[in-house]
Amino acid sequence: MKQSRFGISGALSLLGLLGLLVGCGRASLPAPALPLVATPPEPFREIRPEVPPLPPLTPPVVETTELDTGLTVMVSPRPSEVATVCYGNRDAGKDTMPERWHHLSMAVKLAVKGTALEALEVDVDHDASSTRLCVSVMPGDVGVALDALAEVLPRRTFPPASIDRVKNRALATRNRKPNAGAYAAEWLLGLRFFAVQGWRVGEALRLFDAASAADELARSFHPKKSVIAVAGPLEPQPVRELVERHLGHWVMADEPAPPPRHDPPLPPPSPWVIHAHVSPLTQAQLAMALSAPARDSPDRAAFDIASRIVGGLYTSRLNLRMRTDEGHTYGAHAAYAARSADGHLLLMSAVAPQRVLEAVDAMLDEVASIQTEMPTQLEVRQGRETARERLRVQLDTTSSLAKMMCVLFRDRATPDSWVAHDQALADVTPERVQAVVRRYFSKRSPLVVVGPGLAVDRLRQARQDVTIDP
């Protein structure tokens, strides 16, 4: 018996030694080269799971009051370990003058820099007509957050050196890191000062100065067009009293008149299918901007689902085609931005320079085919239920709920609008999706490619419908 135990032990020791030797041998071998793109072994177009329908939405309770100064206070009591305090506004005017897209965001950076609000790790969020400043704190520190906001909101003057620093950093970033998505969106929206063929970067940024910073903040940060939204384990009346105590003294004169408009003219329709821009990037960026409905359009729900079918889901047509079936990229996606007057949909991807021709063909083909091919019931169901689930997630946590309350204020809406949008999503059919796609996808920017010289040279040599931006 003793010999048997020795034999087993010896065998185990020998196996361990052999394993160690094999491991050492493997460690000395060079690692296998990884492919540039990840291609799953087989497509999964036919095995996507069906998504069961969600029940009707029950919106959270939101209580709204207004202070004597005109400042609106919105509170949503809900069980949570933290509370989120958000400042929001409306009619900020960024969607009325092109340069204000840039001026207001730089002015807000100046206002927040070096303050207690920055120390609280404020989340700054902009859209076309509003700004949101949000912080999450312990429920007992809501007054601290409000006090930090009270320091930032009235700020109007800044040292010249700070203005130059913010402006120069923005110019350097846009020139050093060109973004195909931004180029495509601004082409569609006419927000750039255009050259004969392409865009001139930075004209709007160079117009930024102390006067424009003060004017933008005076128009945007005004109590009569602002809201304090609080979500967390707090009752409405104590929160209103806190806001009154910390921000009740925030009184301003009427906002200044807007400066004269000097919008650049909208560019004529481009005769080129593709605009390429040489940049020292590792991969080539592809982006296309398409027209889209406004926030209050009856087409919004159907278009939201259409955007998910074409690029907004892992199982979207673009991602299945460019990643799963053909292996050009790690991912292709879509982003729908709805504004007060209109909107746009961005289709984006990044590919290896060697794959740029095939990726361009795939993106152009999918944009064309979705206008002629009826979406399937499964595609619509997945897009519809994903959109409805996302709405519920946004209303479920304090941080996103406080932002959603600011959006209600921006849109002059009530919580019932969440229920109405959820029902509109539930009623979308494949025929409705196809109708909105045909209506909006016909107006689009050129396909913008930003990438290294190898990618641009391949496009130039293979296609006749490419213009190269200097």
Side-chain angles (χ1 to χ4, degrees):
M1 197 69 178
K2 182 177 180 180
Q3 186 177 2
S4 175
R5 287 198 300 269
F6 176 79
I8 294 173
S9 176
L12 291 174
S13 299
L14 180 60
L15 287 173
L17 178 60
L18 288 173
L20 180 62
L21 290 173
V22 171
C24 292
R26 286 179 178 172
S28 64
L29 295 175
L34 295 175
L36 286 174
V37 294
T39 307
E42 59 182 354
F44 49 91
R45 286 184 184 274
E46 303 305 324
I47 58 174
R48 290 175 288 173
E50 293 192 5
V51 181
L54 291 166
L57 175 68
T58 301
V61 174
V62 177
E63 183 169 315
T64 303
T65 58
E66 185 176 300
L67 304 186
D68 293 340
T69 58
L71 178 64
T72 299
V73 181
M74 303 178 75
V75 184
S76 181
R78 60 185 304 103
S80 175
E81 294 182 357
V82 298
T84 298
V85 180
C86 278
Y87 163 83
N89 56 23
R90 63 187 175 204
D91 303 330
K94 288 171 61 183
D95 53 357
T96 61
M97 298 185 65
E99 68 273 14
R100 295 178 67 178
W101 282 66
H102 312 290
H103 289 187
L104 182 56
S105 62
M106 289 191 289
V108 171
K109 289 180 182 178
L110 286 169
V112 170
K113 187 68 176 176
T115 65
L117 196 62
E118 184 182 41
L120 289 173
E121 299 182 354
V122 60
D123 176 21
V124 181
D125 180 27
H126 298 281
D127 60 37
S129 57
S130 66
T131 298
R132 288 169 290 278
L133 309 175
C134 300
V135 293
S136 292
V137 295
M138 299 303 293
D141 291 333
V142 168
V144 175
L146 293 172
D147 199 38
L149 282 169
E151 177 189 5
V152 168
L153 297 177
R155 294 189 75 182
R156 299 292 180 266
T157 59
F158 311 97
S162 298
I163 293 175
D164 291 340
R165 192 180 305 116
V166 168
K167 180 166 63 174
N168 292 337
R169 185 179 296 117
L171 282 166
T173 299
R174 291 180 74 86
N175 290 329
R176 185 178 67 253
K177 300 179 181 178
N179 183 288
Y183 289 166
E186 293 176 352
W187 185 283
L188 180 73
L189 302 173
L191 296 181
R192 284 193 182 277
F193 297 82
F194 287 92
V196 175
Q197 292 180 345
W199 48 79
R200 293 174 181 168
V201 178
E203 290 296 328
L205 296 178
R206 294 187 182 93
L207 297 173
F208 184 69
D209 56 16
S212 58
D215 285 348
E216 292 305 324
L217 291 173
R219 288 188 197 93
S220 301
F221 290 1
H222 194 287
K224 293 182 179 179
K225 54 197 297 186
S226 298
V227 64
I228 299 295
V230 180
L234 299 164
E235 292 301 317
Q237 185 57 33
V239 171
R240 186 186 188 284
E241 293 173 357
L242 279 173
V243 175
E244 182 80 58
R245 186 184 314 155
H246 291 275
L247 288 164
H249 61 280
W250 183 34
V251 179
M252 292 181 58
D254 291 339
E255 60 180 295
R261 292 173 61 97
H262 50 280
D263 296 355
L266 289 174
S270 174
W272 304 100
V273 175
I274 300 167
H275 279 262
H277 181 84
V278 179
S279 176
L281 300 174
T282 304
Q283 291 186 308
Q285 300 177 3
L286 278 63
M288 180 186 294
L290 304 99
S291 63
R295 287 195 296 260
D296 59 352
S297 169
D299 295 333
R300 178 186 169 193
F303 193 92
D304 189 353
I305 294 172
S307 72
R308 296 173 192 276
I309 292 173
V310 70
L313 299 171
Y314 188 80
T315 54
S316 68
R317 294 188 180 187
L318 267 181
N319 201 55
L320 286 174
R321 168 82 176 269
M322 297 179 68
R323 174 189 168 109
T324 307
D325 294 351
E326 300 180 5
H328 302 316
T329 178
Y330 283 112
H333 59 282
Y336 170 30
R339 295 181 300 279
S340 58
D342 57 9
H344 70 269
L345 174 69
L346 270 183
L347 306 179
M348 295 166 285
S349 186
V351 303
Q354 299 88 339
R355 300 291 191 103
V356 69
L357 283 176
E358 297 85 352
V360 163
D361 289 342
M363 184 172 284
L364 290 173
D365 184 54
E366 288 299 326
V367 170
S369 66
I370 197 173
Q371 298 179 61
T372 58
E373 296 178 7
M374 178 78 71
T376 66
Q377 289 282 357
L378 178 58
E379 286 179 315
V380 173
R381 181 161 57 247
Q382 284 193 303
R384 178 176 60 223
E385 298 308 315
T386 302
R388 297 180 68 205
E389 178 64 28
R390 181 175 183 271
L391 176 59
R392 285 157 173 75
V393 170
Q394 289 176 310
L395 300 177
D396 188 54
T397 60
T398 60
S399 57
S400 55
L401 174 57
K403 288 184 179 181
M404 292 288 282
M405 291 155 63
C406 291
V407 171
L408 283 185
F409 175 81
R410 178 200 68 189
D411 295 342
R412 295 174 172 83
T414 67
D416 290 340
S417 64
W418 295 330
V419 179
H421 183 58
D422 181 69
Q423 186 59 51
L425 289 168
D427 293 339
V428 170
T429 63
E431 293 78 11
R432 182 69 175 143
V433 171
Q434 187 179 50
V436 298
V437 165
R438 288 176 173 174
R439 181 176 306 154
Y440 291 96
F441 276 35
S442 59
K443 179 186 177 185
R444 63 178 181 83
S445 74
L447 196 162
V448 176
V449 179
V450 176
L454 173 61
V456 175
D457 288 342
R458 292 201 70 198
L459 284 171
R460 188 203 319 259
Q461 295 166 8
R463 301 185 64 114
Q464 303 299 316
D465 53 1
V466 181
T467 181
I468 311 298
D469 191 70

